[in-house]
Amino acid sequence: MIYALHHGIALVLALGVARYLLGAAWTRRRPRLAVVLWQVTALTIVVSFVGGLLALGLAPYRQGIVPGMRSFLADPRNLPQVLAVAAGLAVGGWLLVHQVRSTVRVARQRARHRDLLALVARGGRILELDHPAVVAYCLPGRDPRVVVSAGTRRLLSRDELDAVLAHEQAHLRERHHLVLSPFNALAQLFPRWRALGKVTAAVGLLTEMCADDYAARRHGRQVLIGALEKFRVSGGGDVPAGTMAAGGTPLPDRIDRLRDRPVATRGLTAALAIAAAVTLLATPLSLFVAPF
């Protein structure tokens, strides 16, 4: 029971961290650190919830979850114990299966779009669509591509276009689609859970800010701001599912952030945040194998 309580405490703390991150202003200054903290926090919530259920069922063995499962399979002791273990395995399996199905579905969407681009677009690593709509996006996954429309090329100056391309290349280089995948899958699994939708949107915005920072370092803040302003005024265009677009998230927030020239968080603050996150995740993970 004490072991299950440890998981419960980790779960409550992780939920508190999630609530804090949703309202924390410093995440705009250090989006990359904030993304890491969101990943660790989300994983802690899942591990703590599933681990807590398993711990309730395996408490009589006092062996930890992994070795306790072997003892449980050899000698289940009572019905409540069986139900708790079954619930933990069911929830963990349900989340895993849904993540796999979501990943496969998105991969198929990207494959279909990649085949379509082979027919209608021209170019190599950077493809151009002969279309007046103002769009620029990246297609992650196998054989990644950056796609821009003829309308975007006409709208932006050469420097602005280079900044937008750098933004999209940053998404591919830092594999932001993998960061967003579990959050999008959970949001699809619980579409009526508004808090989860807010979390997914927040993480998506942070990945855009990470890509903005990369583009700004390469081509200058003012150049990137000019490009995003033109995207905002033009309204942009719809992009296919499974892609990441330069104009696909709230542009005013990103433009204001770039104009504010935010001061970076101190190194000590970042180090403490990382240490706290690692400790938060390590606690429930270590309890899977530690005796109790």
Side-chain angles (χ1 to χ4, degrees), residues 158-194:
R158 181 66 221 180
D159 288 343
E160 290 169 345
L161 180 60
D162 287 343
V164 168
L165 294 178
H167 173 101
E168 300 303 338
Q169 289 164 348
H171 281 315
L172 298 176
R173 186 175 64 89
E174 298 181 14
R175 292 177 171 80
H176 287 153
H177 62 292
L178 298 181
V179 172
L180 292 172
S181 178
F183 292 96
N184 288 331
L186 285 174
Q188 293 166 5
L189 187 59
F190 304 104
R192 297 186 179 180
W193 192 357
R194 288 183 293 180

PDB file of all heavy atoms in Angstrom, residues 158-194:
ATOM      1  N   ARG A 158      13.334  37.306 -50.549  1.00  0.00           N
ATOM      2  CA  ARG A 158      14.257  36.164 -50.539  1.00  0.00           C
ATOM      3  C   ARG A 158      14.707  35.847 -49.118  1.00  0.00           C
ATOM      4  O   ARG A 158      14.731  34.682 -48.712  1.00  0.00           O
ATOM      5  CB  ARG A 158      15.480  36.479 -51.408  1.00  0.00           C
ATOM      6  CG  ARG A 158      16.487  35.345 -51.492  1.00  0.00           C
ATOM      7  CD  ARG A 158      15.900  34.148 -52.222  1.00  0.00           C
ATOM      8  NE  ARG A 158      16.277  32.905 -51.559  1.00  0.00           N
ATOM      9  CZ  ARG A 158      15.914  31.703 -51.971  1.00  0.00           C
ATOM     10  NH1 ARG A 158      15.148  31.573 -53.036  1.00  0.00           N
ATOM     11  NH2 ARG A 158      16.290  30.632 -51.324  1.00  0.00           N
ATOM     12  N   ASP A 159      15.050  36.872 -48.335  1.00  0.00           N
ATOM     13  CA  ASP A 159      15.495  36.650 -46.960  1.00  0.00           C
ATOM     14  C   ASP A 159      14.368  36.077 -46.104  1.00  0.00           C
ATOM     15  O   ASP A 159      14.604  35.188 -45.275  1.00  0.00           O
ATOM     16  CB  ASP A 159      15.993  37.959 -46.348  1.00  0.00           C
ATOM     17  CG  ASP A 159      17.323  38.400 -46.936  1.00  0.00           C
ATOM     18  OD1 ASP A 159      18.002  37.564 -47.566  1.00  0.00           O
ATOM     19  OD2 ASP A 159      17.669  39.588 -46.765  1.00  0.00           O
ATOM     20  N   GLU A 160      13.155  36.587 -46.288  1.00  0.00           N
ATOM     21  CA  GLU A 160      12.020  36.080 -45.518  1.00  0.00           C
ATOM     22  C   GLU A 160      11.727  34.625 -45.867  1.00  0.00           C
ATOM     23  O   GLU A 160      11.422  33.812 -44.982  1.00  0.00           O
ATOM     24  CB  GLU A 160      10.795  36.949 -45.779  1.00  0.00           C
ATOM     25  CG  GLU A 160      10.897  38.342 -45.170  1.00  0.00           C
ATOM     26  CD  GLU A 160       9.806  39.281 -45.652  1.00  0.00           C
ATOM     27  OE1 GLU A 160       9.139  38.950 -46.667  1.00  0.00           O
ATOM     28  OE2 GLU A 160       9.607  40.335 -45.026  1.00  0.00           O
ATOM     29  N   LEU A 161      11.821  34.303 -47.129  1.00  0.00           N
ATOM     30  CA  LEU A 161      11.599  32.917 -47.540  1.00  0.00           C
ATOM     31  C   LEU A 161      12.648  31.996 -46.927  1.00  0.00           C
ATOM     32  O   LEU A 161      12.340  30.901 -46.452  1.00  0.00           O
ATOM     33  CB  LEU A 161      11.623  32.800 -49.061  1.00  0.00           C
ATOM     34  CG  LEU A 161      11.407  31.396 -49.626  1.00  0.00           C
ATOM     35  CD1 LEU A 161      10.046  30.842 -49.211  1.00  0.00           C
ATOM     36  CD2 LEU A 161      11.536  31.407 -51.156  1.00  0.00           C
ATOM     37  N   ASP A 162      13.904  32.444 -46.922  1.00  0.00           N
ATOM     38  CA  ASP A 162      14.963  31.636 -46.307  1.00  0.00           C
ATOM     39  C   ASP A 162      14.684  31.411 -44.822  1.00  0.00           C
ATOM     40  O   ASP A 162      14.941  30.318 -44.292  1.00  0.00           O
ATOM     41  CB  ASP A 162      16.312  32.329 -46.481  1.00  0.00           C
ATOM     42  CG  ASP A 162      16.818  32.261 -47.914  1.00  0.00           C
ATOM     43  OD1 ASP A 162      16.307  31.433 -48.683  1.00  0.00           O
ATOM     44  OD2 ASP A 162      17.716  33.067 -48.260  1.00  0.00           O
ATOM     45  N   ALA A 163      14.161  32.428 -44.128  1.00  0.00           N
ATOM     46  CA  ALA A 163      13.847  32.288 -42.707  1.00  0.00           C
ATOM     47  C   ALA A 163      12.722  31.271 -42.493  1.00  0.00           C
ATOM     48  O   ALA A 163      12.774  30.455 -41.568  1.00  0.00           O
ATOM     49  CB  ALA A 163      13.453  33.639 -42.118  1.00  0.00           C
ATOM     50  N   VAL A 164      11.717  31.319 -43.356  1.00  0.00           N
ATOM     51  CA  VAL A 164      10.603  30.359 -43.246  1.00  0.00           C
ATOM     52  C   VAL A 164      11.098  28.944 -43.528  1.00  0.00           C
ATOM     53  O   VAL A 164      10.715  27.984 -42.833  1.00  0.00           O
ATOM     54  CB  VAL A 164       9.473  30.753 -44.220  1.00  0.00           C
ATOM     55  CG1 VAL A 164       8.438  29.624 -44.337  1.00  0.00           C
ATOM     56  CG2 VAL A 164       8.797  32.026 -43.735  1.00  0.00           C
ATOM     57  N   LEU A 165      11.945  28.794 -44.514  1.00  0.00           N
ATOM     58  CA  LEU A 165      12.494  27.458 -44.812  1.00  0.00           C
ATOM     59  C   LEU A 165      13.330  26.954 -43.649  1.00  0.00           C
ATOM     60  O   LEU A 165      13.280  25.759 -43.309  1.00  0.00           O
ATOM     61  CB  LEU A 165      13.332  27.525 -46.091  1.00  0.00           C
ATOM     62  CG  LEU A 165      12.568  27.833 -47.387  1.00  0.00           C
ATOM     63  CD1 LEU A 165      13.532  27.917 -48.561  1.00  0.00           C
ATOM     64  CD2 LEU A 165      11.488  26.796 -47.649  1.00  0.00           C
ATOM     65  N   ALA A 166      14.099  27.836 -43.023  1.00  0.00           N
ATOM     66  CA  ALA A 166      14.888  27.438 -41.854  1.00  0.00           C
ATOM     67  C   ALA A 166      13.969  27.002 -40.716  1.00  0.00           C
ATOM     68  O   ALA A 166      14.277  26.049 -39.989  1.00  0.00           O
ATOM     69  CB  ALA A 166      15.785  28.589 -41.406  1.00  0.00           C
ATOM     70  N   HIS A 167      12.855  27.702 -40.552  1.00  0.00           N
ATOM     71  CA  HIS A 167      11.870  27.333 -39.531  1.00  0.00           C
ATOM     72  C   HIS A 167      11.376  25.898 -39.757  1.00  0.00           C
ATOM     73  O   HIS A 167      11.343  25.087 -38.816  1.00  0.00           O
ATOM     74  CB  HIS A 167      10.696  28.318 -39.587  1.00  0.00           C
ATOM     75  CG  HIS A 167       9.551  27.964 -38.704  1.00  0.00           C
ATOM     76  ND1 HIS A 167       9.332  28.562 -37.479  1.00  0.00           N
ATOM     77  CD2 HIS A 167       8.544  27.052 -38.857  1.00  0.00           C
ATOM     78  CE1 HIS A 167       8.248  28.040 -36.925  1.00  0.00           C
ATOM     79  NE2 HIS A 167       7.751  27.127 -37.749  1.00  0.00           N
ATOM     80  N   GLU A 168      11.008  25.599 -40.987  1.00  0.00           N
ATOM     81  CA  GLU A 168      10.501  24.250 -41.280  1.00  0.00           C
ATOM     82  C   GLU A 168      11.602  23.200 -41.146  1.00  0.00           C
ATOM     83  O   GLU A 168      11.358  22.082 -40.668  1.00  0.00           O
ATOM     84  CB  GLU A 168       9.901  24.210 -42.684  1.00  0.00           C
ATOM     85  CG  GLU A 168       8.739  25.157 -42.902  1.00  0.00           C
ATOM     86  CD  GLU A 168       7.599  24.918 -41.926  1.00  0.00           C
ATOM     87  OE1 GLU A 168       7.496  23.811 -41.376  1.00  0.00           O
ATOM     88  OE2 GLU A 168       6.820  25.854 -41.693  1.00  0.00           O
ATOM     89  N   GLN A 169      12.798  23.536 -41.565  1.00  0.00           N
ATOM     90  CA  GLN A 169      13.909  22.596 -41.431  1.00  0.00           C
ATOM     91  C   GLN A 169      14.229  22.324 -39.966  1.00  0.00           C
ATOM     92  O   GLN A 169      14.670  21.225 -39.613  1.00  0.00           O
ATOM     93  CB  GLN A 169      15.125  23.136 -42.179  1.00  0.00           C
ATOM     94  CG  GLN A 169      14.958  23.082 -43.692  1.00  0.00           C
ATOM     95  CD  GLN A 169      15.956  23.957 -44.437  1.00  0.00           C
ATOM     96  OE1 GLN A 169      16.650  24.787 -43.834  1.00  0.00           O
ATOM     97  NE2 GLN A 169      16.027  23.793 -45.751  1.00  0.00           N
ATOM     98  N   ALA A 170      14.006  23.322 -39.102  1.00  0.00           N
ATOM     99  CA  ALA A 170      14.215  23.118 -37.665  1.00  0.00           C
ATOM    100  C   ALA A 170      13.235  22.076 -37.122  1.00  0.00           C
ATOM    101  O   ALA A 170      13.604  21.251 -36.280  1.00  0.00           O
ATOM    102  CB  ALA A 170      14.048  24.439 -36.913  1.00  0.00           C
ATOM    103  N   HIS A 171      11.994  22.106 -37.589  1.00  0.00           N
ATOM    104  CA  HIS A 171      11.024  21.086 -37.174  1.00  0.00           C
ATOM    105  C   HIS A 171      11.538  19.691 -37.521  1.00  0.00           C
ATOM    106  O   HIS A 171      11.445  18.757 -36.706  1.00  0.00           O
ATOM    107  CB  HIS A 171       9.686  21.310 -37.881  1.00  0.00           C
ATOM    108  CG  HIS A 171       8.852  22.402 -37.285  1.00  0.00           C
ATOM    109  ND1 HIS A 171       8.669  22.546 -35.928  1.00  0.00           N
ATOM    110  CD2 HIS A 171       8.123  23.390 -37.876  1.00  0.00           C
ATOM    111  CE1 HIS A 171       7.868  23.575 -35.711  1.00  0.00           C
ATOM    112  NE2 HIS A 171       7.540  24.109 -36.858  1.00  0.00           N
ATOM    113  N   LEU A 172      12.071  19.545 -38.719  1.00  0.00           N
ATOM    114  CA  LEU A 172      12.558  18.237 -39.150  1.00  0.00           C
ATOM    115  C   LEU A 172      13.811  17.845 -38.393  1.00  0.00           C
ATOM    116  O   LEU A 172      13.959  16.699 -37.960  1.00  0.00           O
ATOM    117  CB  LEU A 172      12.831  18.258 -40.660  1.00  0.00           C
ATOM    118  CG  LEU A 172      11.623  18.533 -41.570  1.00  0.00           C
ATOM    119  CD1 LEU A 172      12.070  18.609 -43.025  1.00  0.00           C
ATOM    120  CD2 LEU A 172      10.552  17.466 -41.390  1.00  0.00           C
ATOM    121  N   ARG A 173      14.718  18.783 -38.232  1.00  0.00           N
ATOM    122  CA  ARG A 173      15.999  18.499 -37.570  1.00  0.00           C
ATOM    123  C   ARG A 173      15.783  18.102 -36.118  1.00  0.00           C
ATOM    124  O   ARG A 173      16.460  17.201 -35.606  1.00  0.00           O
ATOM    125  CB  ARG A 173      16.903  19.731 -37.664  1.00  0.00           C
ATOM    126  CG  ARG A 173      18.312  19.537 -37.140  1.00  0.00           C
ATOM    127  CD  ARG A 173      19.151  20.773 -37.397  1.00  0.00           C
ATOM    128  NE  ARG A 173      18.642  21.923 -36.679  1.00  0.00           N
ATOM    129  CZ  ARG A 173      19.005  22.248 -35.431  1.00  0.00           C
ATOM    130  NH1 ARG A 173      19.886  21.510 -34.791  1.00  0.00           N
ATOM    131  NH2 ARG A 173      18.505  23.309 -34.844  1.00  0.00           N
ATOM    132  N   GLU A 174      14.856  18.767 -35.427  1.00  0.00           N
ATOM    133  CA  GLU A 174      14.616  18.490 -34.008  1.00  0.00           C
ATOM    134  C   GLU A 174      13.500  17.470 -33.786  1.00  0.00           C
ATOM    135  O   GLU A 174      13.142  17.188 -32.650  1.00  0.00           O
ATOM    136  CB  GLU A 174      14.299  19.805 -33.286  1.00  0.00           C
ATOM    137  CG  GLU A 174      15.450  20.795 -33.351  1.00  0.00           C
ATOM    138  CD  GLU A 174      15.159  22.095 -32.623  1.00  0.00           C
ATOM    139  OE1 GLU A 174      14.186  22.139 -31.837  1.00  0.00           O
ATOM    140  OE2 GLU A 174      15.911  23.069 -32.824  1.00  0.00           O
ATOM    141  N   ARG A 175      12.956  16.949 -34.874  1.00  0.00           N
ATOM    142  CA  ARG A 175      11.932  15.892 -34.831  1.00  0.00           C
ATOM    143  C   ARG A 175      10.743  16.266 -33.925  1.00  0.00           C
ATOM    144  O   ARG A 175      10.324  15.504 -33.048  1.00  0.00           O
ATOM    145  CB  ARG A 175      12.556  14.569 -34.375  1.00  0.00           C
ATOM    146  CG  ARG A 175      13.536  13.989 -35.385  1.00  0.00           C
ATOM    147  CD  ARG A 175      14.200  12.722 -34.903  1.00  0.00           C
ATOM    148  NE  ARG A 175      14.958  12.072 -35.944  1.00  0.00           N
ATOM    149  CZ  ARG A 175      16.174  12.434 -36.329  1.00  0.00           C
ATOM    150  NH1 ARG A 175      16.776  13.455 -35.731  1.00  0.00           N
ATOM    151  NH2 ARG A 175      16.799  11.789 -37.298  1.00  0.00           N
ATOM    152  N   HIS A 176      10.213  17.429 -34.172  1.00  0.00           N
ATOM    153  CA  HIS A 176       9.096  17.910 -33.368  1.00  0.00           C
ATOM    154  C   HIS A 176       7.843  17.060 -33.565  1.00  0.00           C
ATOM    155  O   HIS A 176       6.970  17.024 -32.684  1.00  0.00           O
ATOM    156  CB  HIS A 176       8.790  19.369 -33.706  1.00  0.00           C
ATOM    157  CG  HIS A 176       9.823  20.315 -33.176  1.00  0.00           C
ATOM    158  ND1 HIS A 176      10.097  21.543 -33.750  1.00  0.00           N
ATOM    159  CD2 HIS A 176      10.658  20.222 -32.107  1.00  0.00           C
ATOM    160  CE1 HIS A 176      11.033  22.164 -33.065  1.00  0.00           C
ATOM    161  NE2 HIS A 176      11.401  21.383 -32.074  1.00  0.00           N
ATOM    162  N   HIS A 177       7.735  16.378 -34.700  1.00  0.00           N
ATOM    163  CA  HIS A 177       6.561  15.514 -34.898  1.00  0.00           C
ATOM    164  C   HIS A 177       6.543  14.374 -33.892  1.00  0.00           C
ATOM    165  O   HIS A 177       5.464  13.927 -33.471  1.00  0.00           O
ATOM    166  CB  HIS A 177       6.536  14.973 -36.324  1.00  0.00           C
ATOM    167  CG  HIS A 177       7.716  14.114 -36.681  1.00  0.00           C
ATOM    168  ND1 HIS A 177       9.008  14.594 -36.808  1.00  0.00           N
ATOM    169  CD2 HIS A 177       7.806  12.775 -36.933  1.00  0.00           C
ATOM    170  CE1 HIS A 177       9.816  13.623 -37.136  1.00  0.00           C
ATOM    171  NE2 HIS A 177       9.123  12.505 -37.212  1.00  0.00           N
ATOM    172  N   LEU A 178       7.723  13.904 -33.477  1.00  0.00           N
ATOM    173  CA  LEU A 178       7.775  12.857 -32.460  1.00  0.00           C
ATOM    174  C   LEU A 178       7.414  13.400 -31.086  1.00  0.00           C
ATOM    175  O   LEU A 178       6.827  12.699 -30.261  1.00  0.00           O
ATOM    176  CB  LEU A 178       9.172  12.230 -32.430  1.00  0.00           C
ATOM    177  CG  LEU A 178       9.632  11.534 -33.707  1.00  0.00           C
ATOM    178  CD1 LEU A 178      11.022  10.946 -33.524  1.00  0.00           C
ATOM    179  CD2 LEU A 178       8.646  10.443 -34.125  1.00  0.00           C
ATOM    180  N   VAL A 179       7.760  14.661 -30.837  1.00  0.00           N
ATOM    181  CA  VAL A 179       7.391  15.300 -29.573  1.00  0.00           C
ATOM    182  C   VAL A 179       5.876  15.401 -29.461  1.00  0.00           C
ATOM    183  O   VAL A 179       5.276  15.095 -28.419  1.00  0.00           O
ATOM    184  CB  VAL A 179       8.028  16.697 -29.470  1.00  0.00           C
ATOM    185  CG1 VAL A 179       7.488  17.440 -28.250  1.00  0.00           C
ATOM    186  CG2 VAL A 179       9.541  16.598 -29.413  1.00  0.00           C
ATOM    187  N   LEU A 180       5.235  15.808 -30.549  1.00  0.00           N
ATOM    188  CA  LEU A 180       3.799  16.062 -30.521  1.00  0.00           C
ATOM    189  C   LEU A 180       2.963  14.790 -30.611  1.00  0.00           C
ATOM    190  O   LEU A 180       1.796  14.790 -30.212  1.00  0.00           O
ATOM    191  CB  LEU A 180       3.417  16.995 -31.676  1.00  0.00           C
ATOM    192  CG  LEU A 180       3.949  18.422 -31.576  1.00  0.00           C
ATOM    193  CD1 LEU A 180       3.668  19.188 -32.855  1.00  0.00           C
ATOM    194  CD2 LEU A 180       3.332  19.136 -30.390  1.00  0.00           C
ATOM    195  N   SER A 181       3.544  13.716 -31.136  1.00  0.00           N
ATOM    196  CA  SER A 181       2.767  12.499 -31.393  1.00  0.00           C
ATOM    197  C   SER A 181       2.000  11.983 -30.178  1.00  0.00           C
ATOM    198  O   SER A 181       0.785  11.744 -30.267  1.00  0.00           O
ATOM    199  CB  SER A 181       3.682  11.407 -31.959  1.00  0.00           C
ATOM    200  OG  SER A 181       2.951  10.220 -32.178  1.00  0.00           O
ATOM    201  N   PRO A 182       2.629  11.771 -29.007  1.00  0.00           N
ATOM    202  CA  PRO A 182       1.855  11.242 -27.871  1.00  0.00           C
ATOM    203  C   PRO A 182       0.805  12.218 -27.358  1.00  0.00           C
ATOM    204  O   PRO A 182      -0.278  11.800 -26.925  1.00  0.00           O
ATOM    205  CB  PRO A 182       2.917  10.960 -26.813  1.00  0.00           C
ATOM    206  CG  PRO A 182       4.096  11.774 -27.198  1.00  0.00           C
ATOM    207  CD  PRO A 182       4.060  11.880 -28.676  1.00  0.00           C
ATOM    208  N   PHE A 183       1.075  13.514 -27.420  1.00  0.00           N
ATOM    209  CA  PHE A 183       0.087  14.498 -26.968  1.00  0.00           C
ATOM    210  C   PHE A 183      -1.121  14.508 -27.906  1.00  0.00           C
ATOM    211  O   PHE A 183      -2.271  14.554 -27.455  1.00  0.00           O
ATOM    212  CB  PHE A 183       0.725  15.883 -26.899  1.00  0.00           C
ATOM    213  CG  PHE A 183       1.769  16.024 -25.832  1.00  0.00           C
ATOM    214  CD1 PHE A 183       3.112  15.872 -26.133  1.00  0.00           C
ATOM    215  CD2 PHE A 183       1.413  16.286 -24.523  1.00  0.00           C
ATOM    216  CE1 PHE A 183       4.079  15.995 -25.151  1.00  0.00           C
ATOM    217  CE2 PHE A 183       2.373  16.421 -23.529  1.00  0.00           C
ATOM    218  CZ  PHE A 183       3.710  16.264 -23.841  1.00  0.00           C
ATOM    219  N   ASN A 184      -0.868  14.455 -29.222  1.00  0.00           N
ATOM    220  CA  ASN A 184      -1.972  14.416 -30.171  1.00  0.00           C
ATOM    221  C   ASN A 184      -2.789  13.142 -30.012  1.00  0.00           C
ATOM    222  O   ASN A 184      -4.021  13.163 -30.103  1.00  0.00           O
ATOM    223  CB  ASN A 184      -1.436  14.509 -31.600  1.00  0.00           C
ATOM    224  CG  ASN A 184      -0.922  15.895 -31.942  1.00  0.00           C
ATOM    225  OD1 ASN A 184      -1.397  16.894 -31.412  1.00  0.00           O
ATOM    226  ND2 ASN A 184       0.053  15.970 -32.833  1.00  0.00           N
ATOM    227  N   ALA A 185      -2.100  12.028 -29.763  1.00  0.00           N
ATOM    228  CA  ALA A 185      -2.816  10.755 -29.598  1.00  0.00           C
ATOM    229  C   ALA A 185      -3.725  10.799 -28.380  1.00  0.00           C
ATOM    230  O   ALA A 185      -4.880  10.348 -28.421  1.00  0.00           O
ATOM    231  CB  ALA A 185      -1.816   9.609 -29.488  1.00  0.00           C
ATOM    232  N   LEU A 186      -3.234  11.342 -27.261  1.00  0.00           N
ATOM    233  CA  LEU A 186      -4.059  11.445 -26.060  1.00  0.00           C
ATOM    234  C   LEU A 186      -5.230  12.403 -26.271  1.00  0.00           C
ATOM    235  O   LEU A 186      -6.341  12.147 -25.794  1.00  0.00           O
ATOM    236  CB  LEU A 186      -3.206  11.909 -24.882  1.00  0.00           C
ATOM    237  CG  LEU A 186      -2.261  10.874 -24.276  1.00  0.00           C
ATOM    238  CD1 LEU A 186      -1.368  11.510 -23.223  1.00  0.00           C
ATOM    239  CD2 LEU A 186      -3.057   9.713 -23.648  1.00  0.00           C
ATOM    240  N   ALA A 187      -4.979  13.503 -26.978  1.00  0.00           N
ATOM    241  CA  ALA A 187      -6.055  14.454 -27.242  1.00  0.00           C
ATOM    242  C   ALA A 187      -7.149  13.826 -28.097  1.00  0.00           C
ATOM    243  O   ALA A 187      -8.340  14.101 -27.915  1.00  0.00           O
ATOM    244  CB  ALA A 187      -5.500  15.700 -27.919  1.00  0.00           C
ATOM    245  N   GLN A 188      -6.766  12.957 -29.019  1.00  0.00           N
ATOM    246  CA  GLN A 188      -7.751  12.256 -29.832  1.00  0.00           C
ATOM    247  C   GLN A 188      -8.491  11.194 -29.019  1.00  0.00           C
ATOM    248  O   GLN A 188      -9.675  10.937 -29.241  1.00  0.00           O
ATOM    249  CB  GLN A 188      -7.061  11.601 -31.028  1.00  0.00           C
ATOM    250  CG  GLN A 188      -6.486  12.594 -32.026  1.00  0.00           C
ATOM    251  CD  GLN A 188      -5.526  11.955 -32.998  1.00  0.00           C
ATOM    252  OE1 GLN A 188      -5.335  10.737 -33.004  1.00  0.00           O
ATOM    253  NE2 GLN A 188      -4.893  12.765 -33.829  1.00  0.00           N
ATOM    254  N   LEU A 189      -7.792  10.605 -28.060  1.00  0.00           N
ATOM    255  CA  LEU A 189      -8.405   9.568 -27.233  1.00  0.00           C
ATOM    256  C   LEU A 189      -9.424  10.162 -26.267  1.00  0.00           C
ATOM    257  O   LEU A 189     -10.444   9.541 -25.957  1.00  0.00           O
ATOM    258  CB  LEU A 189      -7.312   8.821 -26.459  1.00  0.00           C
ATOM    259  CG  LEU A 189      -7.729   7.577 -25.665  1.00  0.00           C
ATOM    260  CD1 LEU A 189      -8.358   6.538 -26.590  1.00  0.00           C
ATOM    261  CD2 LEU A 189      -6.523   6.993 -24.944  1.00  0.00           C
ATOM    262  N   PHE A 190      -9.154  11.373 -25.782  1.00  0.00           N
ATOM    263  CA  PHE A 190     -10.060  12.047 -24.839  1.00  0.00           C
ATOM    264  C   PHE A 190     -10.447  13.413 -25.411  1.00  0.00           C
ATOM    265  O   PHE A 190     -10.030  14.458 -24.887  1.00  0.00           O
ATOM    266  CB  PHE A 190      -9.384  12.209 -23.480  1.00  0.00           C
ATOM    267  CG  PHE A 190      -8.898  10.933 -22.864  1.00  0.00           C
ATOM    268  CD1 PHE A 190      -7.543  10.611 -22.878  1.00  0.00           C
ATOM    269  CD2 PHE A 190      -9.785  10.045 -22.284  1.00  0.00           C
ATOM    270  CE1 PHE A 190      -7.091   9.429 -22.307  1.00  0.00           C
ATOM    271  CE2 PHE A 190      -9.339   8.868 -21.715  1.00  0.00           C
ATOM    272  CZ  PHE A 190      -7.997   8.553 -21.725  1.00  0.00           C
ATOM    273  N   PRO A 191     -11.246  13.435 -26.470  1.00  0.00           N
ATOM    274  CA  PRO A 191     -11.538  14.715 -27.146  1.00  0.00           C
ATOM    275  C   PRO A 191     -12.316  15.702 -26.291  1.00  0.00           C
ATOM    276  O   PRO A 191     -12.270  16.908 -26.544  1.00  0.00           O
ATOM    277  CB  PRO A 191     -12.359  14.269 -28.366  1.00  0.00           C
ATOM    278  CG  PRO A 191     -12.940  12.952 -27.985  1.00  0.00           C
ATOM    279  CD  PRO A 191     -11.917  12.296 -27.108  1.00  0.00           C
ATOM    280  N   ARG A 192     -13.051  15.237 -25.276  1.00  0.00           N
ATOM    281  CA  ARG A 192     -13.842  16.135 -24.436  1.00  0.00           C
ATOM    282  C   ARG A 192     -13.071  16.653 -23.223  1.00  0.00           C
ATOM    283  O   ARG A 192     -13.610  17.432 -22.434  1.00  0.00           O
ATOM    284  CB  ARG A 192     -15.116  15.432 -23.977  1.00  0.00           C
ATOM    285  CG  ARG A 192     -16.051  15.062 -25.125  1.00  0.00           C
ATOM    286  CD  ARG A 192     -17.356  14.498 -24.616  1.00  0.00           C
ATOM    287  NE  ARG A 192     -18.253  14.162 -25.712  1.00  0.00           N
ATOM    288  CZ  ARG A 192     -19.465  13.652 -25.552  1.00  0.00           C
ATOM    289  NH1 ARG A 192     -19.927  13.438 -24.323  1.00  0.00           N
ATOM    290  NH2 ARG A 192     -20.208  13.371 -26.598  1.00  0.00           N
ATOM    291  N   TRP A 193     -11.847  16.187 -23.055  1.00  0.00           N
ATOM    292  CA  TRP A 193     -11.027  16.640 -21.936  1.00  0.00           C
ATOM    293  C   TRP A 193     -10.331  17.929 -22.367  1.00  0.00           C
ATOM    294  O   TRP A 193      -9.290  17.920 -23.004  1.00  0.00           O
ATOM    295  CB  TRP A 193     -10.016  15.566 -21.571  1.00  0.00           C
ATOM    296  CG  TRP A 193      -9.324  15.811 -20.272  1.00  0.00           C
ATOM    297  CD1 TRP A 193      -9.475  16.893 -19.449  1.00  0.00           C
ATOM    298  CD2 TRP A 193      -8.356  14.967 -19.649  1.00  0.00           C
ATOM    299  NE1 TRP A 193      -8.669  16.780 -18.351  1.00  0.00           N
ATOM    300  CE2 TRP A 193      -7.975  15.607 -18.438  1.00  0.00           C
ATOM    301  CE3 TRP A 193      -7.795  13.739 -19.983  1.00  0.00           C
ATOM    302  CZ2 TRP A 193      -7.037  15.049 -17.588  1.00  0.00           C
ATOM    303  CZ3 TRP A 193      -6.852  13.181 -19.132  1.00  0.00           C
ATOM    304  CH2 TRP A 193      -6.485  13.831 -17.944  1.00  0.00           C
ATOM    305  N   ARG A 194     -10.927  19.067 -22.009  1.00  0.00           N
ATOM    306  CA  ARG A 194     -10.436  20.352 -22.493  1.00  0.00           C
ATOM    307  C   ARG A 194      -9.033  20.676 -21.993  1.00  0.00           C
ATOM    308  O   ARG A 194      -8.245  21.304 -22.702  1.00  0.00           O
ATOM    309  CB  ARG A 194     -11.416  21.455 -22.098  1.00  0.00           C
ATOM    310  CG  ARG A 194     -12.715  21.427 -22.897  1.00  0.00           C
ATOM    311  CD  ARG A 194     -13.622  22.584 -22.532  1.00  0.00           C
ATOM    312  NE  ARG A 194     -14.127  22.468 -21.164  1.00  0.00           N
ATOM    313  CZ  ARG A 194     -14.933  23.353 -20.600  1.00  0.00           C
ATOM    314  NH1 ARG A 194     -15.308  24.435 -21.270  1.00  0.00           N
ATOM    315  NH2 ARG A 194     -15.368  23.174 -19.364  1.00  0.00           N
TER     316      ARG A 194
END
